[in-house]
Amino acid sequence: MVTARRPALRRRSLLAVAALATASLVTAPAALPGAGDPTAAAAAQPTALTSTIPLALGAYSQGMDRDPRVLDRTASAVGRPMAIASVFRGRGDDPYWPYPSDRAMGATRTLLVAWSLEDYGNYAYWSSGRGDAVLRAKARTLRAYGRPVVLRPWAEMNADWVAHQPTAGAVKSRGGSPAQFKAAWRRAVTIFRQERATNVRWAFNPTTDTYAGTTDVRTIYPGNDVVDILGLDGYNWGTTRTRNLGWRSFDNVYATQYQRLVALAPRKPVWICEISSADPASAGVSRVPVSAPSGRSKATWWRDAFARMRTGYRNVQAVVIFDVDKERNWRVASSSGSASGLRSAVATPILKPRQP
């Protein structure tokens, strides 16, 4: 059973390169799909008809809501600019965000916001128009903010551990049917467009999980006309003493759901909105001992992940690290080996093809 990965609290130089990457994130058209397996290496090779953009990096780093300089320190640890600042916002934040810290981090970055609209009610609440005032108020606030924002409302909605999972059977407390989810999504996007919040983009962001009990993303995709970015959250939880999924490679975590999303919208960019691995060298606050197969570590996991994105996963244009010590020690610097492995994995920029 996989559990949710939300930060415990919601209230919460490299600049030139970061600005260049940020500008390409929201304005760049998506790459065309490759033939056959969308993760295949051949599909990732640019042709004479394509240009390239650098794979953008970002993070949600523990403590950055209180001190935006934490994200700069993450960039220094990774050795690459953080072009995306990821934050988590919900009902208690809505009268106030973007907070001063959001504005500071977003001054040279795209702000990626997991927006927990489920805090207010279920999908019928939103599709019926009862939440329109909330949507209009936030659309006007973000339009005035002016900087690039990517919203991922109802993030991880396909997961069987969340109360806002759309289901064909029994309705969850904050959920509803697939049709109600799609109607709620479309209403939210429509209101933002009516309010001319043109700096806002929308990320449809399930988890990578496809086991029985999760909702098939193909039944809840709202439509290409109301989705700008395809998002994915996925983690390697490692092997533990209790039954779990075990140590999983990047491909094992991501390939199936990535292929499903790309089949739904072959021309849209894919953002990995949350990613990390457990670290056998550091249990962190959870104190859950984790093991890995012989010769494997968090450092090798990072190197393998980015090697796969360098030669495959053509449509992936951004990777946002979940840099928090929580259910596992997901931190970039959970151990010295983890930090050095990630740093070496991204030392050479990864160029992704796109349509000119």
Side-chain angles (χ1 to χ4, degrees):
M1 181 71 68
V2 182
T3 57
R5 294 171 290 274
R6 289 287 176 266
L9 297 176
R10 294 182 190 265
R11 176 65 178 90
R12 331 184 202 308
S13 271
L14 298 178
L15 294 184
V17 179
L20 175 62
T22 297
S24 70
L25 292 176
V26 177
T27 61
L32 288 175
D37 179 358
T39 73
Q45 300 305 314
T47 70
L49 298 178
T50 63
S51 61
T52 59
I53 58 172
L55 178 73
L57 298 179
Y60 173 77
S61 288
Q62 193 165 327
M64 75 182 207
D65 281 315
R66 296 185 301 274
D67 182 359
R69 294 172 296 179
V70 168
L71 194 54
D72 297 323
R73 292 194 284 272
T74 300
S76 296
V78 175
R80 305 295 300 173
M82 295 291 107
I84 302 164
S86 174
V87 297
F88 296 78
R89 301 290 178 252
R91 184 173 186 171
D93 304 292
D94 279 344
Y96 313 109
W97 75 274
Y99 291 111
S101 60
D102 298 335
R103 295 175 184 273
M105 292 184 290
T108 56
R109 303 178 181 93
T110 295
L111 201 62
L112 175 64
V113 184
W115 195 15
S116 297
L117 293 179
E118 65 273 14
D119 290 353
Y120 291 87
N122 60 18
Y123 296 124
Y125 172 87
W126 293 103
S127 62
S128 68
R130 283 177 283 169
D132 283 3
V134 172
L135 297 170
R136 290 196 187 280
K138 188 52 62 181
R140 292 166 185 169
T141 298
L142 293 181
R143 183 185 66 193
Y145 168 66
R147 293 283 303 154
V149 175
V150 173
L151 294 178
R152 48 184 189 125
W154 301 294
E156 302 189 347
M157 78 296 286
N158 66 309
D160 61 351
W161 63 84
V162 299
H164 59 281
Q165 180 189 14
T167 51
V171 174
K172 291 194 171 184
S173 60
R174 300 286 173 166
S177 68
Q180 288 172 326
F181 169 77
K182 289 188 277 190
W185 183 286
R186 298 186 73 87
R187 190 174 190 98
V189 174
T190 296
I191 286 176
F192 269 67
R193 289 176 177 172
Q194 289 173 350
E195 295 296 332
R196 303 185 305 281
T198 57
N199 57 315
V200 174
R201 296 294 181 268
W202 298 83
F204 174 72
N205 183 194
T207 72
T208 56
D209 301 294
T210 58
Y211 57 81
T214 60
T215 297
D216 191 323
V217 296
R218 294 167 292 194
T219 69
I220 57 174
Y221 184 63
N224 286 343
D225 59 323
V226 289
V227 172
D228 301 297
I229 292 165
L230 305 172
L232 279 172
D233 293 0
Y235 294 77
N236 169 33
W237 288 74
T239 301
T240 66
R241 293 173 183 169
T242 57
R243 183 180 178 185
N244 73 344
L245 297 174
W247 188 269
R248 303 174 70 197
S249 69
F250 176 82
D251 276 343
N252 187 276
V253 174
Y254 276 90
T256 298
Q257 195 77 296
Y258 171 84
Q259 292 172 15
R260 288 185 182 181
L261 287 182
V262 170
L264 287 169
R267 300 179 65 92
K268 293 197 180 292
V270 175
W271 285 24
I272 294 178
C273 296
E274 295 182 29
I275 184 173
S276 193
S277 171
D279 191 345
S282 176
V285 297
S286 73
R287 299 186 178 181
V288 175
V290 172
S291 62
S294 178
R296 299 293 178 179
S297 65
K298 188 171 180 177
T300 64
W301 194 88
W302 280 127
R303 287 195 288 267
D304 171 70
F306 282 96
R308 294 296 297 120
M309 286 183 274
R310 191 178 297 277
T311 59
Y313 295 86
R314 173 191 177 108
N315 288 18
V316 173
Q317 293 188 358
V319 175
V320 182
I321 301 161
F322 191 71
D323 179 30
V324 175
D325 186 358
K326 200 167 178 270
E327 306 93 343
R328 300 287 188 273
N329 196 344
W330 308 119
R331 297 297 301 268
V332 166
S334 55
S335 63
S336 58
S338 168
S340 63
L342 177 55
R343 189 180 182 94
S344 66
V346 299
T348 303
I350 299 172
L351 300 179
K352 307 298 286 188
R354 72 173 180 190
Q355 272 302 95

